[in-house]
Amino acid sequence: MATILIRGGRVVDPANNFDQTADILIDGETIKAIDGKIGVQADEIIDAAGLLVTPGLIDLQVHLRQPGEEDKETVRTGSYAAAAGGFTSILAMPNTKPPIDTQADVYNIYHIANQRAVVRVYTAAAITAGLQGERITEFGDLVRAGAVAFTDDGMPVMNGEIMRRALEYTSMFNVPVLQHSEDLNLSNGHVMHAGEMSAKLGLPGYPSAAEAVIIARDVELAAMTGGHLHVQHVSAKRSVELIRAAKRRGVYVTAEATPHHLCLTEEAVEGFNTYAKMNPPLRSEEDRQALRDGLRDGTLDLIATDHAPHTEMEKELPFIDAPNGTIGLETAFPSVYTVLVESGVLELNTLIERMTAGPARVMGWEDKGKLFVGGPADVTIIDLNTEREVTSDTFFSRSKNSCFYGHKFKGWPHTTIVAGRIAYAHGAINEKIKSVS
Amino acid sequence: MSFNQKHLLELEHLTREEIETILDTARQFKQTFQRSKKKVPTLVGKTVVNLFFENSTRTRTSFEIAAKRLGADVLNFSASTSSLSKGETIIDTARTIEAMGSDVIIVRHSCPGAPHLLAKKVQSSIINAGDGCHEHPTQGLLDIFTMREKKGKIEGLNVAIIGDLSHSRVMRSNVWGLLKLGAKVTLVGPKTLVPRAFEKFGCKICYSLREGIAEADVINLLRIQLERQQQNLFPSIREYKLLYGLNGKSISWARDDVMIMHPGPVNRGVEISQQIADGPLSVINEQVTNGVAIRMAVLFLLSHPSGK
Ligand SMILES: [Zn+2]
């Protein structure tokens, strides 16, 4: 087995309260040693002096678009984008065409991932058959096939009774129910946040309350059933407050925010910018501040990208007709690092926690999101100093719909190691490594 | 004279000087209306295309007459939504038209921002002839032109705009233009149809018709659409008339010399009674005439940067 020595980097591992210059020795698929100075030879030596070394990043919301929309993304290209973004484990959303709602669909994703992916790909399965919001899927069988979470993401579970049963039944298997919280009656026909920008642009906007009312309901259902409610892509202030209060009450609720909601506001839509059209929409400055507070105090357990690839042709439709979503895997760490950590709003340690130990804890992945001897060799090396503007020519994602064009970021991933193999380094994907899951 | 824009997409981002240049130019064109020969051949050899994705005979005709008086060749292109559903985008359609040699494309579309999208993708000058609920700049300009002509100046003028303001492109273009020229704007309508954010932008908001028109020098009424009733934004046309209809009784709450405007088409007997629409306070027909002058001015200025 090959050995890799990562030498002289600043190792930050929030799960172990570790922050010091150290060497890491990888042997095969596991970490062999973490020490101030490791004086052994290795097949490959990475000079990490001046670089940041963290546990491999984890993203719990990625739209890989396979099967059905392979012109936007595939498991393979999505995994390349993940590796380039420093992610070693990603969770695929089941709103593909057709949706992932049977055992065979789950097997299919793992089959493709084993052949093509350069990072660890996990999949969630649908809560309701065909994402129709009517009949729950075979949770037990889907878990057996490898589904690690359930969600109808893209759509909310609108029916309270179905959400109740989903939380109740899935709690037998210790898997979270991921909710895209949106009251469809309040959001019907609306394409952005209801605020000053929508008033100016004459675009129908929907209020933050559309998110909060579903969260308020789901928190009660989680309290009643003991199920694990995970709130996806929280966008609004009241949502953060409801989740904070629920956590204080001891309800089993966890939550996430996206880099774009943490970094941008409705202002980004100015000029009918379809690249800033997403759902939930970019909201007000007040909402953005509340998300930052929530991320800091742990109300929001993790950062997830909601990486949502779309073709250029679709994004060049008039605003109302353009699809929702931005790609996010390759800009996640740099965007939040630059906008929040560099400006002193967030501690570096907290940012890393929310992208490593945080998601691992939510998923119950005990050996992920941290560095320890004998543990899996998923390691990310990041360059905090080099500043670079976001441009489309560096993206590995098959789609180029980023909301961050023109922004200058630091904190670009340098090397991504998955199960002891270098998946990404020197701006290139190591296509030879396959079958890491 | 200062005007260096390539497109006219909205009034929100024009300067006071640019708006005044358009108004002054329109006044000069209007003087030619009295002549027996109304042509001012400054756009000879240019091709102006009306690209309407949404029907509007009155706006299209107004642009057509304006372009023809300037001597331009005019082509009307009604893009049916069916050709778009076959996978053709509005960019494809506009590029097709441009390939035939257009210099100016006048766009009407139900989606806010559609003209902005085309402005980025084609070489021709784009004029927004109404994009969904966003703006209708030439309507805003002709309304302001009419107010200035009749009332002498815009600075300090009290203008009440009444109706379905949330969904009104006419309201937005009026508000930006009027505020830049120093008018005081009051938005009047039911709470469900008045966008609150405009208070921050400098308008006064009023949910009572009586209070809203008390000080008004000008009342600009907007068309109310039945569709909004189906969305539960107000209970019924009957109730709308009761609370916000301008009729013989409610007009008495306004000043004697108040001027009544309406962008048309008028829902007679709904937002305004027949009597008032056709009465001495109304300048509705005047607005139509001024529309041609404004559109001539806009076509002229876009085709002759810096008024050269
Ligand atoms: Zn979602």
Side-chain angles (χ1 to χ4, degrees):
Chain A
M1 288 295 252
T3 53
I4 302 172
L5 180 62
I6 305 167
R7 201 190 261 161
R10 176 185 170 192
V11 179
V12 180
D13 179 13
N16 290 308
N17 267 319
F18 190 92
D19 182 353
Q20 62 188 66
T21 302
D23 295 353
I24 296 176
L25 180 65
I26 292 167
D27 187 1
E29 294 189 7
T30 55
I31 294 174
K32 184 93 178 285
I34 306 170
D35 220 328
K37 209 135 199 84
I38 301 174
V40 299
Q41 276 308 309
D43 299 323
E44 180 135 15
I45 292 173
I46 301 171
D47 179 11
L51 300 174
L52 175 71
V53 180
T54 72
L57 307 182
I58 301 170
D59 188 352
L60 297 188
Q61 197 183 161
V62 181
H63 296 272
L64 291 177
R65 304 290 188 221
Q66 192 175 12
E69 294 177 293
E70 289 85 351
D71 54 332
K72 298 184 177 187
E73 198 78 284
T74 62
V75 173
R76 179 180 67 86
T77 57
S79 82
Y80 288 8
F87 293 97
T88 56
S89 295
I90 58 175
L91 179 62
M93 293 295 104
N95 64 335
T96 48
K97 292 177 181 170
I100 298 163
D101 60 0
T102 67
Q103 192 187 45
D105 298 326
V106 172
Y107 284 147
N108 181 44
I109 295 297
Y110 286 109
H111 177 72
I112 302 167
N114 279 327
Q115 311 240 320
R116 303 267 183 220
V118 299
V119 304
R120 301 179 197 264
V121 174
Y122 297 86
T123 193
I127 296 171
T128 64
L131 308 173
Q132 294 296 304
E134 282 159 16
R135 290 186 43 78
I136 56 171
T137 54
E138 294 174 325
F139 296 133
D141 199 26
L142 289 161
V143 167
R144 231 183 273 175
V148 295
F150 292 94
T151 180
D152 276 1
D153 183 42
M155 292 288 283
V157 176
M158 269 298 284
N159 183 320
E161 170 66 5
I162 291 171
M163 191 61 182
R164 169 198 175 185
R165 296 307 178 191
L167 284 162
E168 206 163 27
Y169 197 92
T170 54
S171 66
M172 292 195 293
F173 312 107
N174 266 324
V175 290
V177 174
L178 283 43
Q179 175 74 302
H180 165 118
S181 312
E182 173 186 351
D183 184 316
L184 293 174
N185 295 314
L186 287 169
S187 66
N188 182 26
H190 295 170
V191 298
M192 68 177 294
H193 174 61
E196 282 178 36
M197 191 52 72
S198 67
K200 272 189 195 173
L201 298 178
L203 287 168
Y206 83 88
S208 304
E211 179 173 279
V213 294
I214 296 295
I215 295 173
R217 179 200 75 180
D218 287 350
V219 161
E220 293 306 316
L221 297 174
M224 179 175 85
T225 58
H228 177 181
L229 169 68
H230 178 76
V231 185
Q232 296 181 293
H233 44 50
V234 174
S235 70
K237 181 182 178 189
R238 271 303 294 152
S239 307
V240 176
E241 291 170 354
L242 285 164
I243 294 162
R244 188 178 286 127
K247 284 188 163 185
R248 279 205 193 112
R249 255 170 81 192
V251 180
Y252 194 0
V253 52
T254 55
E256 71 191 32
T258 71
H260 46 273
H261 288 106
L262 289 162
C263 294
L264 304 174
T265 66
E266 57 184 330
E267 291 283 317
V269 179
E270 172 104 66
F272 302 96
N273 177 16
T274 56
Y275 285 75
K277 181 183 179 186
M278 46 275 277
N279 192 22
L282 297 171
R283 297 199 186 271
S284 70
E285 180 57 37
E286 194 185 19
D287 292 312
R288 174 167 73 166
Q289 291 303 332
L291 293 181
R292 293 170 173 188
D293 292 343
L295 191 68
R296 209 183 294 115
D297 74 8
T299 301
L300 301 172
D301 301 80
L302 60 101
I303 292 169
T305 64
D306 194 6
H307 178 82
H310 289 294
T311 61
E312 201 177 329
M313 195 198 91
E314 285 176 302
K315 280 290 189 184
E316 284 186 353
L317 291 170
F319 196 91
I320 286 176
D321 299 329
N324 287 306
T326 176
I327 55 170
L329 283 166
E330 294 167 79
T331 49
F333 190 93
S335 61
V336 186
Y337 173 75
T338 308
V339 176
L340 296 189
V341 178
E342 280 257 292
S343 63
V345 173
L346 194 72
E347 298 283 334
L348 177 63
N349 188 71
T350 309
L351 169 60
I352 296 168
E353 202 279 340
R354 302 294 185 262
M355 296 183 80
T356 57
R361 187 177 59 247
V362 166
M363 293 305 296
W365 289 337
E366 282 171 13
D367 62 349
K368 284 197 171 58
K370 57 188 166 191
L371 301 168
F372 60 100
V373 174
D378 293 354
V379 184
T380 299
I381 304 172
I382 295 166
D383 175 2
L384 294 181
N385 300 312
T386 307
E387 189 179 65
R388 182 161 68 70
E389 187 177 318
V390 178
T391 53
S392 62
D393 43 305
T394 63
F395 285 144
F396 287 92
S397 173
R398 185 162 282 175
S399 292
K400 311 295 175 197
N401 57 305
S402 170
C403 61
F404 286 121
Y405 285 130
H407 291 252
K408 288 194 178 111
F409 294 144
K410 292 180 182 176
W412 296 95
H414 175 278
T415 303
T416 307
I417 300 169
V418 184
R421 281 166 287 198
I422 295 172
Y424 170 83
H426 310 295
I429 296 292
N430 177 8
E431 304 199 15
K432 273 173 281 174
I433 77 152
K434 297 283 160 59
S435 161
V436 288
S437 289
Chain B
M1 295 273 277
S2 73
F3 199 87
N4 270 309
Q5 301 286 338
K6 179 168 184 203
H7 311 288
L8 178 66
L9 301 175
E10 54 197 17
L11 294 193
E12 187 194 344
H13 293 113
L14 287 191
T15 63
R16 180 181 180 137
E17 290 65 40
E18 285 167 329
I19 292 171
E20 283 174 340
T21 300
I22 299 171
L23 298 178
D24 293 342
T25 309
R27 191 172 51 194
Q28 291 171 26
F29 280 120
K30 196 180 173 183
Q31 284 160 7
T32 67
F33 291 6
Q34 314 307 327
R35 301 184 200 154
S36 56
K37 269 187 162 179
K38 298 188 176 67
K39 284 223 174 186
V40 191
T42 58
L43 254 65
V44 175
K46 301 263 184 192
T47 301
V48 174
V49 179
N50 273 314
L51 176 55
F52 277 48
F53 295 91
E54 209 182 51
N55 255 330
S56 170
T57 311
R58 50 170 56 221
T59 303
R60 185 181 52 70
T61 310
S62 179
F63 270 111
E64 188 172 346
I65 291 171
K68 282 182 172 163
R69 286 204 182 151
L70 294 172
D73 296 318
V74 183
L75 196 123
N76 290 315
F77 196 100
S78 290
S80 67
T81 35
S82 64
S83 70
L84 295 180
S85 60
K86 274 183 245 147
E88 187 181 352
T89 67
I90 66 165
I91 298 172
D92 296 334
T93 309
R95 282 185 177 151
T96 303
I97 285 166
E98 190 159 74
M100 299 174 196
S102 64
D103 298 291
V104 180
I105 302 178
I106 297 156
V107 183
R108 161 71 64 100
H109 198 284
S110 61
C111 286
H116 303 65
L117 179 62
L118 295 185
K120 280 182 215 152
K121 295 289 171 184
V122 301
Q123 301 303 313
S124 303
S125 283
I126 300 288
I127 298 176
N128 178 2
D131 60 331
C133 306
H134 176 229
E135 282 214 39
H136 189 355
T138 55
Q139 180 70 45
L141 288 164
L142 78 89
D143 287 349
I144 295 165
F145 180 87
T146 307
M147 293 179 213
R148 196 174 78 161
E149 189 178 52
K150 295 279 173 191
K151 295 286 179 183
K153 60 179 173 52
I154 298 297
E155 185 84 51
L157 202 67
N158 280 305
V159 181
I161 308 177
I162 303 168
D164 176 2
L165 303 154
S166 293
H167 302 93
S168 177
R169 51 192 173 213
V170 177
M171 179 281 279
R172 284 177 177 79
S173 290
N174 263 268
V175 163
W176 299 125
L178 287 168
L179 291 179
K180 280 174 209 277
L181 299 189
K184 288 179 239 166
V185 181
T186 305
L187 303 179
V188 186
K191 206 165 180 179
T192 44
L193 294 177
V194 181
R196 290 284 296 276
F198 276 80
E199 204 159 17
K200 267 200 169 162
F201 306 152
C203 296
K204 210 177 126 192
I205 284 176
C206 196
Y207 305 121
S208 143
L209 181 65
R210 186 170 199 153
E211 277 171 46
I213 63 173
E215 300 290 317
D217 299 302
V218 176
I219 293 175
N220 200 352
L221 288 163
L222 305 177
R223 186 180 164 80
I224 197 82
Q225 277 166 351
L226 202 66
E227 181 191 341
R228 309 299 168 210
Q229 184 186 327
Q230 284 147 11
Q231 295 168 345
N232 287 303
L233 291 168
F234 60 90
S236 65
I237 290 287
R238 181 180 165 274
E239 172 149 325
Y240 184 84
K241 276 164 66 176
L242 279 174
L243 297 184
Y244 299 102
L246 202 62
N247 51 40
K249 183 185 166 212
S250 53
I251 193 75
S252 70
W253 301 331
R255 297 165 44 154
D256 292 341
D257 63 344
V258 70
M259 183 170 103
I260 310 292
M261 305 179 73
H262 193 299
V266 177
N267 279 318
R268 285 170 191 273
V270 181
E271 64 261 3
I272 185 168
S273 70
Q274 171 100 22
Q275 236 178 340
I276 295 175
D278 298 336
L281 299 175
S282 160
V283 294
I284 295 174
N285 285 329
E286 200 74 42
Q287 284 174 268
V288 177
T289 306
N290 292 340
V292 177
I294 281 291
R295 288 171 180 127
M296 286 173 80
V298 168
L299 284 165
F300 174 81
L301 289 168
L302 292 181
S303 309
H304 301 80
S306 274
K308 275 169 217 151

